[in-house]
Amino acid sequence: MPDHQRPYLWVEFEKTAKMRHLSHLETARVFDRALRRAQIPVDYTAGYHPRAKISFAPPLPVGAEGRRELCEIDLAREAPPWDLGKALSKQLPPGLNLVSAQVLARGRRSPFANLSRAEYNISVDIVDASEEQLHSALEQFGEAEHVNIKRETKRQVRQIDIRPHTYELRPQHKDNKVYLYMNLGFGPENLVKPEEVISALTQMMGQGQLRVSRLVRLGMYEA
Amino acid sequence: MLPDEILEVVAGPARYIGGEVNAVVKDPADVEMTFALCYPDVYEVGMSHLGSQILYHVINSRPEVQCERVYHPWIDAAALMREQGVPLGGLETGRPLHDFDIVGITLQYELTYTTILSLLELGGITLHAQQRRPSEPIVIGGGPCAYNPEPLADFFDAFVIGEGEEVVGEIIDLYLQQPARFRDAVARTDEERENFLRQLAQIKGVYVPGLYEVERTEEGLLCPRPASAEVPRTIRRRIVRDFENVPFPTTPVVPWVETVHDRAQLEIARGCTRGCRFCQAGIIYRPVREKSVATLRAQARQIIANSGFDEIALASLNCPDYSKIEELIDGLHADLGGQRVSVSLPSLRTDTFSVSLAEKIQQVRKSGLTLAPETASERLRDVINKNVSNQDLLAAVTAAFAAGWETIKLYFMIGLPGETDEDVVAIADLVQQVVEIGRQKLGRRRRHLQVNVSVACLIPKPHTPFQWRQQMPLEELRRRQQLLRSQLTSRHVSLSCHGTEGTMVETVLSRGDRSLGAIIEHVYRSGAMLEAWREHFSFDNWAQAFVTEGRDLLAEAGRPWHSSSPLPWEHIDIGVSVDFLRREAARAEEATATEDCRTGACQRCGLNDFMAPCPMIAGEGAATAAAQTARTEEYA
């Protein structure tokens, strides 16, 4: 079967509990080994160093959780009769929990190419400042037309306006803890990183510091 | 298992979380005894060690015993644990080290000795065996460095000499036979602890240093003698006779993080008969024993099905010597190739057969090729009894380049007995010839040609024919490394030399006596740990510790010993006789090679008396030898 017609396995999974300490690469290796244990017919690259054709959504920082992480696995042949999702789920460790799995026919574009929004829920500690100061910073952020931050890439430091691509930003309170819900741009043109919003808010607070105590990526989707 | 506050700030947190696939966690209600299996280095190194994996499997196959893995944390985590008073514990349940019944520590390398002390203290265990409270764990060492346990004698309650698969069960049995009062630990008295250690000393292969006194020899060395008639004068090495059926883990723990040897391992044989005179492993793992192809194929299939590794490495001291190596590789490819599982050989001899094997083996994935000529001088090869020639090496690399390899690694040693500057320069000449062959054979691809040259310094090791020899002076080793460096100018060559200062410390520790305990402790107290990592090794710490004790490290490394006087490890009977070692030392002086007993005559190394009969003589060996001879001729 030609490559472009081969089916693939589209997986949504949760990365939580102890598994949040795994790096992106480590997570990929866990999948590679789980797929082999589950005897799922994965497609491999050619050449001296064959690798399973698996791709993941852009990395989560080490320590962060994901509620609906994405992974795409190329299959070497038509979907076999058994339930691939169940077989894979049985081999994944607790903390990497399958949310859904389906075998899809290969389209022309990778589903990752269309991801343009991501949602986060971030629990924060307010250090040396009051909750009122956070709230006024949030208000200031909401009313501002531009919020410029500096983003360092390998080659240069660029000035970026994150405000237009911060689609939602609101506080939530639960069990005496402060959470920030964010809906941010995730595509190549509109990317905003949650830590950039946090640092902009810290500046707007005027004093003290906003510290991330747990970052949760709720999901990524096509707007 | 570390608290979240530490996990969130340290490098590589996944190495501390446990819970890996195939890790064994038992219901506490079923567990009557706890056993910590420690490796005195970080997780990535310790998890790569096959011996520890085997023992983990052997101990945990007893339903009433919970065996847990313990590794030394990296510098950042170690500092936070000390600061916050978080004790080091097992990866399975998090039990602190001081709360285990038995703590086993593997002794693989002299430069881990300070890490052992750090590991004990991080785990809340008193460093000195004599000062331990009766309730503290029984601390037992084992592995290659236990063949001279004296430098560590102060810190261990006991050592196991030899292969652990059987004796570890006997130790567990003895522990479980003790009265409940003893096992409860809290109520245990000093006398009960001593009584247990005396019983432990009765198990064959177990050395309890506290039951021995030291006597100073004429040369000033401290040699242990039994303090009472009830303890054995010599401790005989344990050897597994039925190697075919020895337990082997087919459910290996699958690490989260990338380890040093990030693959499954399959032990195909134990022991080596080549008899290289510098090689301690070639002596202390005798005799040669092989597993059958059928057993190995079955084990490999199970290992891959249970772990999902994409590579399986064959393990033994010299894989091409395995008598049915080609049949085995073909079988493994047939069984596993479809799942894109590659097979690899860790170490190769320097001949064309090895290269054709390497070619055969790398059908799935191609990696670098490593060859170990050790020296470039035919005379020195006869001194160290490495029975290959420069012609063999050149034929091997010609075959390798022709087969498509572009990167070749070559291992050499300097500091050999009788080595001259010409011998050192000869290494550079030989490497240059390899480069020339590579340029010719690779043609247009020659810009990819890479020859990596790794140069170690000879370290005289206990139980080898060189055990009486001195180390070459530090400055001299440095000068020779420099000489070699100045001769290796090709842009295709990269040279890496082992540290000369580390070599000096390894030398004194490997041949040392019980008086070194104070020095090791001194170095540890000055902040040393994880010294197997070059960036954390400090020679000044060691030199200073010797000075503090009124001694001179370099002078001690440079002292030869008389071959007729007692040595600190003479009570350790490994089965190879001192007479054989003396004969071999004399032949080294004369630059005379000794035949391999697999293909030639029995060299009377002593093993046939020790385990009577030696399998090499008793039949298995004879069959193996016939196959080997046939094959050697085929490739000649």
Side-chain angles (χ1 to χ4, degrees), chain A residues 121 123-125 131 172-179 213:
Chain A
N121 196 21
S123 111
V124 290
D125 296 326
E131 216 173 303
Q172 291 172 333
H173 296 266
K174 215 170 98 188
D175 310 330
N176 274 337
K177 275 187 177 165
V178 184
Y179 294 84
S213 97

Side-chain angles (χ1 to χ4, degrees), chain B residues 175-221:
Chain B
Y175 193 92
L176 289 172
Q177 283 161 19
Q178 302 301 308
R181 209 181 110 80
F182 175 87
R183 284 188 282 126
D184 186 31
V186 186
R188 198 185 285 165
T189 64
D190 274 315
E191 202 187 344
E192 284 165 333
R193 186 183 172 96
E194 278 163 32
N195 181 38
F196 176 74
L197 290 175
R198 273 196 297 276
Q199 292 177 57
L200 202 55
Q202 298 304 316
I203 295 177
K204 284 202 183 80
V206 176
Y207 169 50
V208 178
L211 302 178
Y212 294 71
E213 296 163 348
V214 287
E215 262 171 39
R216 194 173 287 278
T217 67
E218 278 174 30
E219 291 184 297
L221 292 168

Side-chain angles (χ1 to χ4, degrees), chain A residues 18 20 29 36-37 48-49, chain B residues 8 17 262 307-308 366:
Chain A
K18 275 182 179 180
R20 73 189 173 90
R29 284 149 31 91
R36 193 170 287 102
R37 288 195 302 271
Y48 279 145
H49 295 277
Chain B
E8 276 164 10
I17 61 179
D262 197 23
S307 69
K366 201 152 202 147

Side-chain angles (χ1 to χ4, degrees), chain A residues 48, chain B residues 359 366 399-407 442 445:
Chain A
Y48 279 145
Chain B
E359 211 183 330
K366 201 152 202 147
F401 290 129
W405 268 281
E406 294 166 343
T407 301
L442 291 180
R445 287 184 297 127

Side-chain angles (χ1 to χ4, degrees), chain B residues 582-613:
Chain B
R582 282 196 194 103
R583 284 204 305 276
E584 282 295 295
R587 291 171 77 95
E589 290 290 323
E590 300 157 7
T592 307
T594 296
E595 245 184 326
D596 181 346
C597 68
R598 193 194 277 254
T599 46
C602 169
Q603 298 298 326
R604 293 178 294 117
C605 72
L607 215 66
N608 192 43
D609 300 326
F610 186 75
M611 70 185 297

Side-chain angles (χ1 to χ4, degrees), chain A residues 72-86:
Chain A
E72 183 196 34
I73 300 150
D74 285 25
L75 297 175
R77 47 177 191 266
E78 272 306 341
W82 74 83
D83 184 341
L84 295 187
K86 211 177 249 175

Side-chain angles (χ1 to χ4, degrees), chain B residues 4 6 40 73 192 205 246 252 264 269 286 340 441 461 537 541 567-568:
Chain B
D4 274 359
I6 292 184
E192 284 165 333
V246 73
R286 288 182 181 212
R340 297 297 201 290
K441 288 282 166 195
K461 293 271 177 173
F537 170 78
N541 273 344
L567 296 174

